[in-house]
């Protein structure tokens, strides 16, 4: 029970940290180019994971496994996913962007069924359909209140779906820290590419530097808390608490950016989160029945 409570607490803290990271990124991107934000975050993340690997005595980032097809596919997904997500939270209201992003677990389930041959029953198919319907409710294309910038979040969800599915196919010999470090390095390259296209790189001032440092610190601590939560407690117990990220995002949006979600955003958020929680419950029940059958 102590491990379960600690795992839940760490998961909630990690989601709060990611919301704070998003806040700092959105603040920084309002004053300096988005490509520069991506480059700084990617470079900082690369150094962080390289140092973490060295401290823990794990394989370093320099490895021929980087060229494995699944790793290359994952890095491509990281580039598309992170680039789309950061552009989305920069250009669109944080609350709406975070709500759409909650469809990621459903998108991963859909991709696993279509491309990895994972068995998905009609109930989880229904949850996936309902979740994507919730995304449409928030974005409401063609209607008043439609914000095209939210489509960047959809691109981000697609990229991160590729990232998560490719991770499952990565060679066993590849360490988790290596995978994370390579993803950050890919984002650094993406940031430089965006800056080459748009130009306008600037030397961050004191406040912008603090925002960038705050984003990196929040992101690194959140990554550690998330990893630790998944290690010490059952995934079926901690996964539902990932959705509290939306609650923290709404608080940040309300307090820092003076965002006031409308009825459509509230309704779509409820649909997405409800569908995700139902899918998690069905998956947990499926595993419980499978383990019971195996025991017999």
């Amino acid at each position: 029970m102590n491990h379960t409570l600690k795992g839940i607490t760490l998961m909630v803290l990690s989601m709060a940290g990611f919301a704070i990271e998003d806040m700092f990124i959105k603040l920084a991107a309002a004053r300096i180019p988005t490509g520069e934000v991506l480059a700084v975050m990617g470079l900082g993340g690369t150094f962080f994971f390289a140092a973490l690997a060295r401290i823990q005595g794990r394989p370093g980032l320099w490895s021929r496994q980087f060229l494995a097809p699944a790793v290359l596919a994952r890095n491509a997904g990281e580039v598309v996913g992170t680039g789309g997500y950061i552009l989305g939270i920069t250009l669109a209201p944080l609350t709406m962007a975070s709500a759409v992003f909650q469809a990621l677990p459903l998108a991963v389930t859909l991709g696993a069924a279509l491309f990895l041959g994972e068995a998905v029953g009609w109930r989880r198919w229904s949850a996936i359909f309902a979740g994507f319907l919730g995304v449409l409710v928030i974005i409401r294309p063609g209607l008043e209140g439609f914000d095209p910038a939210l489509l960047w979040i959809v691109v981000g969800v697609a990229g991160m779906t590729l990232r998560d599915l490719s991770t499952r196919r990565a060679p066993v010999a590849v360490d988790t820290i290596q995978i994370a470090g390579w993803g950050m390095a890919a984002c650094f390259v993406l940031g430089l590419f965006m800056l080459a296209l748009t130009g306008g790189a600037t030397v961050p001032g004191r406040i912008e530097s603090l925002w960038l440092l705050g984003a990196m610190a929040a992101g690194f601590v959140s990554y550690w808390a998330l990893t630790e939560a998944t290690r010490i407690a059952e995934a079926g117990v901690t996964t539902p608490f990932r959705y509290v990220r939306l609650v923290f995002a709404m608080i940040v949006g309300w307090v820092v950016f003076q965002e006031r979600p409308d009825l459509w955003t509230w309704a779509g958020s409820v649909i997405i989160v409800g569908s995700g929680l139902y899918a998690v419950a069905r998956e947990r029940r499926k595993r419980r029945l499978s383990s019971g059958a195996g025991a017999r």
Side-chain angles (χ1 to χ4, degrees), residues 18-40:
F18 284 130
I20 293 173
E21 178 189 27
D22 291 346
M23 176 193 73
F24 282 127
I25 290 174
K26 187 173 180 67
L27 288 170
R31 296 197 183 184
I32 60 178
T34 304
E36 187 170 347
V37 174
L38 264 171
V40 171

Side-chain angles (χ1 to χ4, degrees), residues 108-241:
V108 172
T109 300
L110 173 63
L114 295 178
F115 302 110
L116 302 183
E118 182 175 307
V120 175
W122 68 268
R123 291 181 179 86
R124 281 205 290 165
W125 278 114
S126 299
I128 292 171
F129 175 79
F132 290 149
L133 179 63
V135 171
L136 291 177
V137 168
I138 296 173
I139 297 178
R140 45 189 184 276
L143 300 178
E144 185 180 355
F146 169 58
D147 188 346
L150 286 173
L151 296 179
W152 282 113
I153 300 295
V154 177
V155 172
V157 168
M160 292 188 183
T161 298
L162 172 61
R163 178 200 67 182
D164 291 352
L165 294 178
S166 300
T167 301
R168 301 186 186 185
R169 290 292 183 263
V172 178
V174 176
D175 189 82
T176 302
I177 292 180
Q178 286 181 310
I179 290 177
W182 292 334
M184 289 295 98
C187 289
F188 170 65
V189 174
L190 171 63
L192 294 181
F193 178 73
M194 290 175 63
L195 279 176
L197 290 179
T198 63
T202 62
V203 177
R206 180 183 300 176
I207 187 66
E208 292 84 8
S209 298
L210 289 175
W211 285 339
L212 290 171
L213 288 173
M216 285 189 283
F220 298 158
V221 172
S222 299
Y223 175 85
W224 170 83
L226 176 63
T227 304
E228 190 68 13
T230 56
R231 288 179 60 188
I232 67 176
E234 293 183 11
V237 174
T238 59
T239 297
F241 289 90

